[in-house]
Amino acid sequence: MGSSARFLASCALILCTLRPTDGDNGQRQCSETDYYYEYTECDSTGSRWRVAIPQNPGTCIGLPEPVRGTECTFSCEAGEFLEMSAQECTQCAAGSYSLGSGIRFDQWDSMPAGFTSVATSLDNSPHREDRLSCNSSSWVPQGNYLESNRDECTVSLIYAVHLKKQGFVSFEYQYPDNNLLFEFFIQNDQCQEMDQTANKKWLKLTNHGEWAAHMVNLKSGTNILYWRTGGPLMGTKVAKPVLLKNVQIEGVAYTSECFPCKPGTFSRVPGSPSCDPCPRDTYSGHGASSCTTCNTTTQYAPEGSGVCKNRPPCSKKDYFQIHTACDGDGKTQVIYKWIEPKICLEGVAGAEPLPPSGEREPCPPCNPGFYNNDTATCSPCPPGTYSNGIKACERCPAGTEPTPGYEYKWWNVLPANMKTSCFNVGNSKCDSMNGWEMAGDHIQSGAGGSDNDYLILNIHIPGFKLPVSVSSSSGMEYGRITFEFETVCIADCELYFMMDVNRKSTTVVESWEGSKPRQSYKHIMTKNASVSYTWAFQRTNQPSDVRRYVNDVVRIYSISVSNAVDGVSSECRPCALSAQPSSSLSSCVPCPSGHYIDTHTSQCTQCPPNTHLLSHTTPGPDACRPCGPGSKSDKERTSCYSDCHFTHTEGNATLTFDFSFLGSVGSLMNGPSFTSKGTKYFHQFNISLCGAEGRTAVCTDNVTDISITDPQREKGEISAVKTFVCQSTIIPASGRGFHTALSSQSINLADTFLGATVESILDGIRARPELFPQTFNKVPDVNFFYRSLEATSSCESGRSAVVTLRCNPLRSTKGELSVPSQCPAGTCDGCTFHFLWESSGACPTCTERDYHQIEGACKGGHQDMLYVWTEPKLCMGGVSLPEKKTLPCESMDFWIRLGVGLAAFTAALLVSLTCYFWKKNKRLEYKYCRLVMSANKECEMPGADSCAVMEGEENEGEMEDDVVYTKPSLLGKLKAIASKGNGDHYENVQLNSSHPKALVWS
């Protein structure tokens, strides 16, 4: 309907037309061809008016008067339109169709009016010039469908519609690649997102070549529809695009006309709600009510064609070879057949003839578990029996049981539980073709109808059944699929291996691009469920009418599935026998978890402590493998884990670690990183260091699993990755216009704990200490080694991880995880991941060696004994510091007084000795001088200050010369005193000398 402005302009035009003028006399009366009808906008009461609008204003007079129209919510049924003259619903004529109150978009030769493709600006790009890199990203019309972008740019397909009443929108889509994020949501005219449940917003993945339908209810008023794609793409891999077709919207205004059928379609009867495609070898034009047959002698037309095409000369791309089924003589041969429908011409210039059939050859033997009773077909062995495919089926001996499964290595006919098909999103050329063909010792991709066909091979397994003697436990191996293949390509071919569990959604397990040599791949199932495995091969993803790569091929030589519940047996394995006699055909009994079968006694025997039972190994004690260093087995002896305790002995010192301080699970948000288009993303790593039961790390996709209902979550029906080390890709909410942060591409990095050691190599995995240089090495680093048993195309031995625990007293107890600065993605080769976990909780347990004693001062007869940690403290937990002790002691005052007294005595003694020896030295000098004087008679008399004997000196020791000294009497002393004034105060001393005449003066 027109807008209010348009209505006012129309009313003004009508009034101008109805206004009498001087020239009215010469104008003719208006006929039905001179005007058309439209409704006015609805008023507040929900009513409207029908008015006549002239085709050419001013050319006629007498327009019909406005009349009250139908209710605003009125609409016709599908196949009808509203005839405005009578305001009644009328059937569409043959060759046309109508949706009633809806509109449909099923032709995508160009972008229909009203649709807009908008690429989101890269606001988080680190370089401004990268903002222009998404200008070429858009939704592209491809004839019958729309194709999204193939890069990580966020591109929105937008369509706005105004509904007169409540309605819905429905569409079909293909969403095969979870590397792209695909959401559908609705906004009102205020750009506010309408209330929408999660399962309506995020679209589920589809199988390759499968179209899924999606419908969402719409409210009356303006609805802006958004189909949005985007997401980070790692490396140079190109994502598979999202495909969209058959968009239908119900609840719009009345339909006042019918739409003609597009070329290649027709509607035979009136009142058709849609047009049907023309059959093969027929065509139709615009608005056809029937299809015209082509001249099939020289022309052909695919289904839904608008024109006939000339048949080309036959070539090698128009036929294929197959191996016939075994005949009654046990013979088979290679024959060639034309690809159906045959569109080429034989017997014309340049035509390639059909090659003759090959010679009859003996049929290959039956596959293991099947037998041939001299018939042309192989039959499965009955339950409880086995066969290698050559011998007749035999019953398993006592003490053994069959091993159910499938082992396909001979390809004469397609097995009963397998099927093959061909699909192309843009045409239906190969819908009736076989996607894969038998070739004796292998099965190979078929010719298909176009180079971009998906050639599909599928095998369905209803469930898994463990051998009787094996008990199930959480996370164990229920079964595995192994296949051997090779690809030979000159184009960008790709082989997908996909899995659909319980018929929910198909996920790509692994893919290979380009030519690949003959190799083997295996995938392990860790839960009992119904599963379909699919191989899809595409020669190129570029559509073309010309066949260029028909010789590009993939060959699968063998497919083996173990423990299939409906499988056959090719051999028997030993089992545990019941101790009680049994009347049943099989006396095998199940062994408890962690028990192996003793081949000598045929009894269940528990694995020794700190060993775990390996699956898919021969019975016997060798089935129990010892746990690695620093690990222990769980109670069931099914796996090994670390109990967070580790001991290391070096010399006479033993270090004991308790890593439980670090917590059950550590997380690291690494980044941000940017893709080539500028999309910001992070890598989220979750690590379970001590991964005992219930303490594993979990990574969940909130995009592909967001449609899971709460009851399904309670049952555990979500594809969360639970393991020791896992990784998710996180897109921030502000990065691409998404309203919440998105977690996607969760992968398992390590599901097996190998051990913990201070060494740098364990079980072929090498830690790289040079990636994390140490500032001090008083405490050795402890390396935790992990491995994933599932191989990938780039990691034939599976991924592995090394978590290095380093004692750092400056960190918190929880610590901090980091990756190498040289390898910011956590891995330098794509297969081995390295992490450093620095924490004070990674320090060894404290012992008596980690503290020392300090003695306090003695005060008041008491002394304190203190204990302090040796710095830097490099330990955690363990022993605590002893309490302060107070011991009795003697006061320091007594010892000080005693010391002072001894010091004073010693000083006096030293002074006395000094004086004594000084005096003695003077006398010795005197005696020496006297001796010199006595020996030299002619010498001059010595001075008095050198040889005189001082008054008061005593004669000590024996001398060679005797000095005779006469002591004066009392009277003599008095005389001496009296004569003192006269200067005569000397004494006479007689020396007895060897020289009697010598004199001595005194």
Side-chain angles (χ1 to χ4, degrees):
M1 291 185 62
S3 62
S4 300
R6 182 179 176 183
F7 168 67
L8 292 176
S10 300
C11 293
L13 181 61
I14 295 171
L15 292 175
C16 292
T17 304
L18 295 178
R19 182 178 302 166
T21 61
D22 294 338
D24 284 350
N25 294 333
Q27 289 184 334
R28 61 181 178 85
Q29 291 291 324
C30 292
S31 63
E32 292 184 357
T33 59
D34 294 323
Y35 58 87
Y36 61 94
Y37 291 108
E38 277 195 7
Y39 282 122
T40 64
E41 291 290 338
C42 296
D43 56 23
S44 59
T45 62
S47 61
R48 56 186 175 181
W49 292 81
R50 188 202 69 179
V51 297
I53 309 297
Q55 299 283 3
N56 297 306
T59 58
C60 65
I61 60 173
L63 290 175
E65 296 291 334
V67 298
R68 185 173 294 277
T70 59
E71 294 182 359
C72 290
T73 57
F74 175 83
S75 62
C76 296
E77 298 293 333
E80 299 178 339
F81 72 100
L82 182 62
E83 203 285 312
M84 294 295 290
S85 298
Q87 297 194 72
E88 293 179 353
C89 294
T90 306
Q91 284 188 342
C92 292
S96 62
Y97 73 98
S98 169
L99 299 177
S101 61
I103 51 177
R104 178 187 296 163
F105 302 96
D106 54 7
Q107 188 65 25
W108 304 95
D109 296 319
S110 60
M111 191 69 75
F115 280 88
T116 306
S117 181
V118 179
T120 301
S121 176
L122 303 179
D123 293 335
N124 51 21
S125 174
H127 306 291
R128 180 174 295 272
E129 57 269 19
D130 290 341
R131 294 174 181 258
L132 303 177
S133 58
C134 282
N135 286 353
S136 60
S137 299
S138 65
W139 288 77
V140 181
Q142 297 287 357
N144 294 326
Y145 59 90
L146 269 178
E147 181 180 283
S148 75
N149 56 309
R150 296 170 179 263
D151 51 33
E152 75 273 12
C153 292
T154 299
V155 182
S156 298
L157 179 67
I158 307 173
Y159 183 77
V161 62
H162 186 81
L163 300 189
K164 295 298 182 181
K165 60 180 181 179
Q166 291 185 351
F168 65 87
V169 57
S170 64
F171 55 89
E172 297 180 50
Y173 71 94
Q174 280 192 25
Y175 178 28
D177 195 342
N178 62 356
N179 287 312
L180 278 180
L181 305 176
F182 183 33
E183 63 173 336
F184 172 72
F185 60 95
I186 306 166
Q187 291 183 352
N188 58 21
D189 54 0
Q190 301 297 321
C191 294
Q192 297 173 341
E193 188 168 338
M194 310 286 282
D195 293 336
Q196 194 174 348
T197 57
N199 62 338
K200 296 295 184 182
K201 179 176 181 179
W202 296 102
L203 283 302
K204 294 182 179 179
L205 291 171
T206 62
N207 295 334
H208 281 262
E210 175 185 300
W211 289 97
H214 190 72
M215 187 183 75
V216 178
N217 293 325
L218 300 178
K219 296 180 180 180
S220 60
T222 300
N223 293 266
I224 305 175
L225 312 180
Y226 286 84
W227 292 266
R228 176 177 289 175
T229 60
L233 299 180
M234 308 308 162
T236 59
K237 187 178 178 75
V238 178
K240 297 298 178 183
V242 174
L243 307 182
L244 184 69
K245 71 175 184 178
N246 293 339
V247 178
Q248 181 172 334
I249 303 173
E250 286 288 341
V252 297
Y254 61 92
T255 298
S256 60
E257 61 180 347
C258 296
F259 301 98
C261 294
K262 67 179 182 179
T265 64
F266 72 101
S267 62
R268 192 180 304 276
V269 297
S272 297
S274 62
C275 297
D276 300 321
C278 288
R280 181 177 289 114
D281 292 332
T282 64
Y283 72 99
S284 69
H286 188 77
S289 60
S290 63
C291 299
T292 305
T293 303
C294 299
N295 181 5
T296 56
T297 303
T298 59
Q299 295 179 322
Y300 77 99
E303 181 182 3
S305 295
V307 294
C308 293
K309 299 180 180 179
N310 293 327
R311 294 182 180 272
C314 292
S315 63
K316 292 182 178 180
K317 65 181 179 60
D318 293 308
Y319 62 82
F320 62 95
Q321 70 174 30
I322 64 171
H323 284 66
T324 61
C326 289
D327 56 20
D329 298 330
K331 300 288 185 177
T332 183
Q333 67 178 150
V334 175
I335 64 173
Y336 296 87
K337 288 186 174 182
W338 295 111
I339 295 174
E340 295 295 340
K342 182 184 175 185
I343 63 172
C344 64
L345 287 176
E346 299 179 75
V348 298
E352 182 83 17
L354 190 68
S357 300
E359 296 184 359
R360 297 172 70 243
E361 300 175 351
C363 291
C366 294
N367 282 309
F370 292 82
Y371 72 100
N372 187 339
N373 287 341
D374 297 328
T375 63
T377 59
C378 294
S379 303
C381 287
T385 63
Y386 72 101
S387 172
N388 61 359
I390 300 177
K391 298 180 179 180
C393 299
E394 300 178 4
R395 186 165 296 279
C396 288
T400 63
E401 61 177 331
T403 56
Y406 290 104
E407 185 179 353
Y408 299 134
K409 59 182 181 180
W410 300 109
W411 303 93
N412 188 51
V413 294
L414 191 67
N417 64 338
M418 299 185 70
K419 61 181 181 180
T420 178
S421 60
C422 179
F423 183 82
N424 191 298
V425 298
N427 58 65
S428 57
K429 293 180 181 179
C430 72
D431 287 359
S432 59
M433 300 179 184
N434 288 330
W436 294 65
E437 300 292 345
M438 307 299 111
D441 64 343
H442 65 273
I443 182 173
Q444 66 182 17
S445 55
S450 304
D451 285 345
N452 65 331
D453 291 342
Y454 284 106
L455 307 175
I456 308 297
L457 180 67
N458 176 273
I459 182 173
H460 178 67
I461 309 298
F464 297 90
K465 179 182 179 182
L466 294 174
V468 174
S469 298
V470 177
S471 62
S472 62
S473 61
S474 177
M476 73 167 299
E477 178 180 330
Y478 278 87
R480 68 172 61 186
I481 181 171
T482 306
F483 60 93
E484 189 176 357
F485 73 99
E486 71 172 345
T487 58
V488 180
C489 304
I490 60 174
D492 54 339
C493 69
E494 189 162 7
L495 173 66
Y496 301 89
F497 175 60
M498 300 174 288
M499 177 178 65
D500 182 4
V501 179
N502 292 332
R503 299 185 182 275
K504 289 184 177 179
S505 63
T506 300
T507 57
V508 177
V509 179
E510 192 58 80
S511 64
W512 298 266
E513 295 181 0
S515 294
K516 296 295 180 183
R518 187 168 174 172
Q519 57 186 279
S520 180
Y521 179 80
K522 68 179 179 180
H523 176 72
I524 298 174
M525 279 293 294
T526 56
K527 70 176 181 178
N528 193 0
S530 173
V531 60
S532 291
Y533 296 107
T534 301
W535 294 263
F537 179 69
Q538 189 181 38
R539 291 182 171 90
T540 179
N541 56 24
Q542 299 299 325
S544 175
D545 293 333
V546 181
R547 298 297 303 272
R548 295 186 177 91
Y549 312 113
V550 70
N551 293 323
D552 288 6
V553 66
V554 56
R555 301 184 183 98
I556 295 181
Y557 294 92
S558 64
I559 298 176
S560 300
V561 182
S562 64
N563 299 338
V565 70
D566 62 343
V568 294
S569 298
S570 60
E571 60 183 0
C572 299
R573 58 166 285 165
C575 67
L577 299 178
S578 173
Q580 301 295 328
S582 174
S583 59
S584 62
L585 296 178
S586 176
S587 58
C588 296
V589 295
C591 287
S593 298
H595 287 66
Y596 67 93
I597 302 172
D598 192 325
T599 55
H600 299 290
T601 63
S602 296
Q603 299 296 314
C604 298
T605 305
Q606 187 178 27
C607 286
N610 292 329
T611 64
H612 66 286
L613 184 66
L614 296 176
S615 59
H616 287 271
T617 56
T618 57
D622 292 339
C624 301
R625 175 173 294 182
C627 293
S631 65
K632 60 190 299 186
S633 62
D634 56 6
K635 295 179 180 179
E636 296 179 344
R637 308 285 205 274
T638 58
S639 63
C640 299
Y641 69 97
S642 170
D643 61 355
C644 285
H645 292 85
F646 178 77
T647 301
H648 171 63
T649 301
E650 187 173 352
N652 296 327
T654 299
L655 300 179
T656 302
F657 297 83
D658 183 2
F659 298 123
S660 60
F661 297 107
L662 277 68
S664 58
V665 177
S667 296
L668 168 64
M669 182 77 78
N670 183 32
S673 300
F674 295 88
T675 63
S676 59
K677 294 289 187 178
T679 303
K680 179 196 292 185
Y681 67 93
F682 297 85
H683 277 149
Q684 171 83 35
F685 296 98
N686 291 333
I687 300 174
S688 176
L689 195 65
C690 308
E693 187 175 356
R695 301 179 65 185
T696 56
V698 179
C699 294
T700 305
D701 292 353
N702 68 347
V703 176
T704 56
D705 293 332
I706 202 167
S707 59
I708 300 295
T709 60
D710 290 338
Q712 288 175 312
R713 293 183 186 277
E714 294 175 0
K715 295 179 181 179
E717 298 181 1
I718 56 175
S719 57
V721 177
K722 297 182 179 180
T723 183
F724 284 100
V725 185
C726 61
Q727 171 192 298
S728 296
T729 301
I730 308 297
I731 304 175
S734 59
R736 286 295 185 180
F738 298 111
H739 301 287
T740 58
L742 302 181
S743 174
S744 64
Q745 304 177 18
S746 296
I747 59 175
N748 168 26
L749 299 182
D751 53 16
T752 302
F753 178 62
L754 300 179
T757 177
V758 297
E759 303 296 331
S760 59
I761 299 178
L762 180 63
D763 198 17
I765 302 175
R766 178 178 175 269
R768 298 181 58 183
E770 69 274 9
L771 297 177
F772 306 106
Q774 278 188 307
T775 56
F776 56 91
N777 56 358
K778 293 184 178 179
V779 178
D781 292 341
V782 181
N783 298 313
F784 276 59
F785 292 86
Y786 303 87
R787 168 172 287 155
S788 173
L789 300 179
E790 187 169 344
T792 65
S793 58
S794 58
C795 305
E796 296 181 357
S797 301
R799 299 183 180 95
S800 57
V802 181
V803 181
T804 300
L805 303 183
R806 177 171 295 174
C807 172
N808 189 339
L810 303 179
R811 299 287 186 184
S812 63
T813 303
K814 183 71 175 178
E816 181 178 334
L817 274 165
S818 61
V819 294
S821 58
Q822 302 94 317
C823 312
T827 176
C828 301
D829 57 5
C831 294
T832 303
F833 290 77
H834 299 272
F835 304 94
L836 176 64
W837 199 333
E838 287 188 289
S839 165
S840 58
C843 296
T845 303
C846 295
T847 63
E848 289 80 0
R849 300 189 305 270
D850 296 305
Y851 62 82
H852 58 275
Q853 172 183 301
I854 297 179
E855 297 181 357
C858 183
K859 297 181 180 180
H862 295 86
Q863 183 182 26
D864 292 335
M865 305 293 291
L866 301 177
Y867 299 90
V868 295
W869 296 111
T870 302
E871 294 296 337
K873 183 185 177 183
L874 299 176
C875 65
M876 186 74 178
V879 300
S880 57
L881 287 175
E883 297 292 335
K884 181 179 67 174
K885 297 180 180 179
T886 302
L887 302 176
C889 65
E890 296 184 8
S891 176
M892 289 295 295
D893 295 341
F894 169 77
W895 294 106
I896 291 175
R897 289 195 299 269
L898 178 61
V900 171
L902 290 175
F905 173 77
T906 303
L909 180 61
L910 290 175
V911 170
S912 301
L913 290 175
T914 301
C915 294
Y916 169 77
F917 285 111
W918 181 79
K919 291 181 179 181
K920 188 172 182 65
N921 184 58
K922 283 294 185 181
R923 181 163 292 279
L924 289 175
E925 288 180 359
Y926 168 75
K927 291 179 181 179
Y928 176 75
C929 186
R930 291 293 301 154
L931 289 174
V932 171
M933 293 174 60
S934 300
N936 188 6
K937 299 178 181 180
E938 295 178 359
C939 67
E940 295 179 359
M941 294 297 294
D945 59 346
S946 60
C947 291
V949 177
M950 296 180 66
E951 185 179 359
E953 290 182 347
E954 298 179 357
N955 191 14
E956 298 179 359
E958 296 180 357
M959 298 167 46
E960 182 181 358
D961 295 327
D962 293 332
V963 179
V964 180
Y965 173 77
T966 304
K967 187 179 181 179
S969 61
L970 180 60
L971 179 60
K973 291 180 178 182
L974 294 175
K975 288 181 179 181
I977 295 172
S979 60
K980 190 174 182 179
N982 297 326
D984 299 331
H985 54 275
Y986 54 87
E987 298 176 358
N988 294 326
V989 180
Q990 182 179 354
L991 294 177
N992 294 328
S993 172
S994 58
H995 304 277
K997 293 183 179 181
L999 297 177
V1000 178
W1001 295 91
S1002 63

